[in-house]
């Protein structure tokens, strides 16, 4: 039976699980939670850690409907938002959520050797920052190279515009500093699939940022990088990307 597309499985949902300590401040307790959607009749399944979009200034944790009943678990991550916290604090929240997943997904039947980072827009940016700047996960006791795959949707690859705003830099001024995935490009063996909308319909420069990141990966010798452009789709290109995310997990599970 096809690993991903068995529709007869029973699924469970655990909501509002804190991934920060009980002595955290009220805002952290409110935002730093995960929901876990998981198959009840499978073991050692893959888990998608899903980070929502919203420019790092809005949005909330979610379990995308398309990813339900596909034979995988989904951990929907909430995180603190700017301007209440800095961008680096948000990245650290994301790292804590991944740490929680590595530590706890086996309790739901999943394998911590099959953890996939994915997310849309700002969520995709967080995917790449965790995968490429290994310090964030290392501070949580996790080796970034132990990720199963990274599949960001329409991620910002230069410094995030919210990080630039913190420094008083204009939104249209491109910057590649420590808050840019491009700054941390490196060779490892974690498969990375970059997916964007149509270059003519996407947010300004979004396809080109991903294309440049893909090129730099190839230059440093990364063995498993793909760049996929969804012709005819704008920045809200999550639907055509979801099936590609699942196909990538299925390919790696063989």
């Amino acid at each position: 039976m096809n690993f991903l597309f068995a529709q007869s499985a029973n699924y469970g949902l655990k909501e509002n699980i804190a991934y920060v300590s009980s002595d955290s401040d009220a805002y952290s307790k409110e935002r730093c939670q995960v929901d876990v959607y998981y198959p009840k009749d499978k073991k050692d399944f893959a888990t998608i850690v899903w980070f929502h979009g919203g420019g790092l200034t809005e949005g909330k944790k979610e379990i995308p409907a398309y990813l339900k009943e596909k034979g995988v678990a989904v951990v929907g991550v909430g995180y603190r938002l700017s301007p209440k916290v800095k961008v680096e604090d948000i990245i650290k929240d994301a790292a804590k959520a991944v740490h929680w997943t590595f530590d706890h997904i086996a309790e739901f039947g999943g394998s911590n050797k099959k953890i996939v980072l994915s997310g849309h827009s700002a969520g995709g940016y967080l995917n790449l920052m965790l995968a490429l700047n290994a310090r964030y996960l290392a501070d949580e006791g996790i080796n970034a190279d132990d990720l199963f795959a990274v599949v960001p949707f329409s991620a910002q690859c230069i410094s995030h515009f919210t990080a630039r705003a913190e420094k008083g830099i204009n939104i249209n001024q491109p910057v590649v500093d420590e808050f840019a995935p491009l700054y941390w490009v490196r060779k490892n063996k974690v498969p990375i699939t970059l997916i964007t909308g149509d270059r003519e319909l996407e947010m300004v420069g979004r396809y080109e940022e991903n294309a440049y990141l893909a090129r730099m990966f190839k230059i440093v010798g990364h063995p498993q990088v793909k760049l996929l452009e969804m012709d005819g789709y704008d920045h809200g290109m999550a639907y055509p990307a979801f099936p590609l995310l699942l196909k990538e997990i299925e390919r790696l599970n063989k």
Side-chain angles (χ1 to χ4, degrees):
M1 182 177 292
N2 187 301
F3 163 75
L4 288 174
F5 299 103
Q7 298 295 317
S8 61
N10 293 319
Y11 290 81
L13 176 64
K14 299 288 187 180
E15 298 181 288
N16 303 323
I17 305 170
Y19 62 81
V20 292
S21 63
S22 59
D23 61 353
S24 299
D25 63 85
Y27 183 56
S28 295
K29 290 179 180 178
E30 172 194 348
R31 294 291 309 186
C32 297
Q33 299 180 356
V34 295
D35 295 341
V36 183
Y37 176 89
Y38 60 99
K40 292 181 177 180
D41 62 350
K42 294 180 181 290
K43 297 294 182 184
D44 296 324
F45 46 77
T47 299
I48 299 167
V49 183
W50 178 262
F51 294 93
H52 67 81
L56 303 179
T57 62
E58 58 184 0
K60 61 183 180 179
K61 60 182 167 54
E62 61 183 358
I63 306 292
Y66 190 90
L67 298 178
K68 293 181 177 180
E69 297 190 354
K70 299 297 195 299
V72 296
V74 183
V75 175
V77 179
Y79 50 85
R80 292 175 295 171
L81 300 171
S82 173
K84 289 189 175 182
V85 298
K86 298 295 187 181
V87 168
E88 184 161 40
D89 298 319
I90 299 172
I91 301 169
K92 289 179 178 179
D93 286 352
K96 289 181 184 300
V98 173
H99 181 191
W100 183 93
T101 305
F102 267 88
D103 279 359
H104 294 282
I105 199 60
E107 298 167 16
F108 298 86
S111 169
N112 66 7
K113 298 183 184 303
K114 298 178 182 179
I115 292 177
V116 178
L117 301 188
S118 192
H120 178 243
S121 196
Y125 167 80
L126 293 173
N127 298 164
L128 290 173
M129 287 299 294
L130 295 182
L132 298 181
N133 184 352
R135 172 177 66 86
Y136 289 110
L137 286 177
D139 286 348
E140 293 294 322
I142 302 297
N143 184 344
D145 293 349
D146 287 339
L147 294 167
F148 196 49
V150 183
V151 188
F153 298 2
S154 195
Q156 190 144 39
C157 301
I158 62 173
S159 299
H160 197 280
F161 55 74
T162 299
R164 282 178 274 156
E166 289 178 355
K167 299 180 180 181
I169 299 171
N170 185 280
I171 191 172
N172 291 323
Q173 176 63 52
V175 174
V176 176
D177 63 12
E178 70 273 19
F179 293 109
L182 267 163
Y183 186 88
W184 302 102
V185 68
R186 64 192 181 92
K187 177 182 178 180
N188 64 8
K189 294 183 179 180
V190 177
I192 298 176
T193 301
L194 306 168
I195 310 178
T196 78
D198 189 312
R199 70 189 74 186
E200 299 300 332
L201 301 174
E202 261 283 9
M203 294 183 72
V204 175
R206 193 58 56 93
Y207 166 80
E208 289 78 7
E209 292 177 28
N210 279 263
Y212 186 38
L213 181 61
R215 174 60 63 186
M216 293 306 297
F217 276 131
K218 291 180 181 178
I219 288 173
V220 300
H222 195 297
Q224 297 194 72
V225 174
K226 300 176 185 175
L227 172 65
L228 304 175
E229 178 184 5
M230 304 290 95
D231 288 351
Y233 289 88
D234 60 16
H235 186 61
M237 40 57 75
Y239 162 67
F242 283 134
L244 298 174
L245 165 61
L246 294 173
K247 286 182 179 179
E248 181 65 4
I249 296 171
E250 184 176 33
R251 179 185 72 83
L252 294 169
N253 252 310
K254 290 179 178 178

